[in-house]
Amino acid sequence: MKGYTPPPRMVVSNEPMPITRNITITEGISVKDLAEKLDIRVKDVISRLLGRGVFATVNQTLDAELASEMARFFGAETNVISFEEQASKDIDAAAGSGEDSAIEVTPRPPVVTIMGHVDHGKTTLLDSIRLTSVAEGEAGGITQHIGAYKVRITDKESPAFGREIVFLDTPGHEAFTRMRSRGAKATDIVVLVVAADDGVMPQTVEAIDHAHAAEVPIIVAVNKVDKPDAMPDRVKKQLADRGLVPEEWGGKTVFVDVSAKKKTNLNLLMEMICLVADLAELKATPERAATGVVLEAKLDRGRGPVATVLVQNGTLVAGDNFVVGNVFGKVRAMFDDRGGAMQSAPPSTPVEILGLEGLPQAGDQFVVVADRDKARGISEYREQKAREAALAKSSRVSLEGLAEQIKTAGTKELNIILKGDVQGSVEVLSDLLSRLSNEKVRLRLLRSGVGAITETDVLLASASNAIIIGFNVRPERKAQELAEQEEVDIRLHSIIYELQDEIKRAMTGLLEPTIKETYQGRAEVLETFRIPKVGTIAGCRVTDGVIKNNSEVRLLRDNVVVFKGKVGSLRRFKDDAKEVTNGMECGISIANYGDIKARDVIEAFATERIAAEAMV
Ligand code: GDP
């Protein structure tokens, strides 16, 4: 084209830079932020990504792996931290650190979970405490159940007068441990309720174990002391045997005799909670942006997604943008446990918030973020991750989705349809099967259910190349016929570990066989002959090992492999030979290859296929 000068092209070197520094990045970092951290131009990152086949925009989030790879390319090792950790760091940095910190660190109210055996009075105790605190004339006195409530000690005589305590409203250790399994530590103190007329029971012991596991201090409320058959000392003795020794017996555990029903000693219990809280030195920084944990979340018909969040540090303010789990939002409105609207919530405050873009889960961490785009970016990134995780674990996958994955993923998949006799065994097996997956073979449960194997099951299996597992169930007659016709594999089992074994073996068969190569020998080409109808014959001398008539060979020219194939013919003088050993001369032709030259080297080897061990 006349007069056309191509624009200068920026050349991005394909050579990685030497590692010279260390940067800290957050999960789901945007291209822009990464470039900033690396102190390079955004467009260099984008063009490098392009080189990797990733089309990214400035604000696109990258997963930690890709971001780290990019950073390494530009000469930096990475330390990846979660978004919450980063948010905390930012806030601490803004607040300064240590003693000369400009921002005040103040004590915060303790957060308490009530645990104990069923019927020992947990709910009654929660209700009584709540009622005593509202009875003192707070507006309306109607309490909402939002997952937690805050009380204030109103007894003017009490040394703890005016102090506040937060009670989590779901008693028992299941909820407590479920939260913990999601990485949330919401509870500072456990109040263990033990009925004085019943003593230590199995769930009492469990509760102790759970509190210990979480390293949360325990206060014992010996309840129902109003009952004539109450034996509080027996409770103390039983608990002392389990390591909870009362202070009056020289131990460290605080015991309070109460009656939840008669509201006896509730103030004393609350004072003791404050005392234990003081020992734990619970502190927070009210002036920073809020972080917390979701206690409850529900979809409200009129109001959309609603979550109760326990603000653990900082102050949550109406209008704040936030990320919670993989959901983001902006605090449109906030309510306290009495249903009253709030503008701001200091540390250790349970609040109900509106303005979520989705439904988070109990135990999700809550973080206030400066701007909405960032909040959205992080939540989108997390949602995508969650989707991927769910897909990998999901028990129902559409056939299109499946085909797509087989096409794109490098993994092999074993599709399974599982039928069992009872729901319990189906669940156990589903779980077991999903855990058998490894990075080479993914087990995918297309369908699981209770009942006999039906024609529909077989059709699905045949359509999606799945095997059917029947646990203590049989195929229906028609299904059996169809399976034979469609060559669908049905495996019937009644013992879990046998089934597990068989799947493991099937996985081994599925894996790409590893090819093991065994070196046999070498021959040097002395001269070559062209023989009509046969092709090129190389006159060789075997210089090492042995050449066999069924060997696989590499033809090396100046140590470069120029061809790889098989021996076509092997002759000693005029006769076919099975093998020729070191020092002997022979004629070799290579199947389908004629361009052999003098001084080439023929290297012979054998391969065998070994099924890879399934790494289960
Ligand atoms: P939870 O299963 O631990 O939540 O126990 P509840 O709070 O439901 O109480 C179980 C039963 O014990 C109920 O009938 C309560 O009325 C009764 N109860 C709870 N606390 C006391 C108490 O201090 N004294 C007496 N006499 N009964 C109580």
Side-chain angles (χ1 to χ4, degrees), residues 266-329:
L266 299 190
N267 270 332
L268 181 62
L269 176 63
M270 292 201 281
E271 273 165 32
M272 290 303 156
I273 291 171
C274 292
L275 206 73
V276 172
D278 288 344
L279 288 175
E281 294 189 30
L282 307 170
K283 296 235 160 72
T285 314
E287 281 171 52
R288 50 176 270 177
T291 57
V293 57
V294 174
L295 300 177
E296 279 184 13
K298 59 173 192 270
L299 206 55
D300 188 290
R301 274 198 163 191
R303 303 186 295 168
V306 179
T308 303
V309 174
L310 173 69
V311 177
Q312 293 177 297
N313 205 351
T315 299
L316 183 62
V317 181
D320 277 348
N321 289 299
F322 60 82
V323 177
V324 51
N326 32 14
V327 170
F328 75 106

Side-chain angles (χ1 to χ4, degrees), residues 117-124 223-224 226-227 259-261:
H117 195 71
V118 63
D119 276 348
H120 279 199
K122 299 182 292 293
T123 316
T124 312
N223 191 29
K224 307 196 186 183
D226 60 294
K227 285 191 132 183
S259 165
K261 198 172 185 173

Side-chain angles (χ1 to χ4, degrees), residues 114 123 125-131 133 143-151 165-169 295 337-338 350:
I114 296 190
T123 316
L125 184 63
L126 273 166
D127 288 346
S128 299
I129 290 174
R130 191 192 333 235
L131 285 173
S133 82
T143 55
Q144 312 269 109
H145 282 267
I146 64 165
Y149 61 85
K150 196 188 244 185
V151 299
I165 301 172
V166 176
F167 286 91
L168 298 189
D169 212 342
L295 300 177
D337 49 6
R338 315 267 148 86

Side-chain angles (χ1 to χ4, degrees), residues 77-149:
E77 279 299 344
T78 50
N79 168 30
V80 183
I81 60 176
S82 79
F83 180 64
E84 283 82 4
E85 286 170 313
Q86 182 62 46
S88 272
K89 275 192 170 180
D90 289 350
I91 291 160
D92 290 344
S97 56
E99 263 140 56
D100 40 282
S101 159
I103 292 185
E104 208 186 347
V105 179
T106 53
R108 62 169 176 83
V111 180
V112 175
T113 294
I114 296 190
M115 295 195 198
H117 195 71
V118 63
D119 276 348
H120 279 199
K122 299 182 292 293
T123 316
T124 312
L125 184 63
L126 273 166
D127 288 346
S128 299
I129 290 174
R130 191 192 333 235
L131 285 173
T132 5
S133 82
V134 257
E136 304 286 330
E138 250 153 307
I142 304 155
T143 55
Q144 312 269 109
H145 282 267
I146 64 165
Y149 61 85

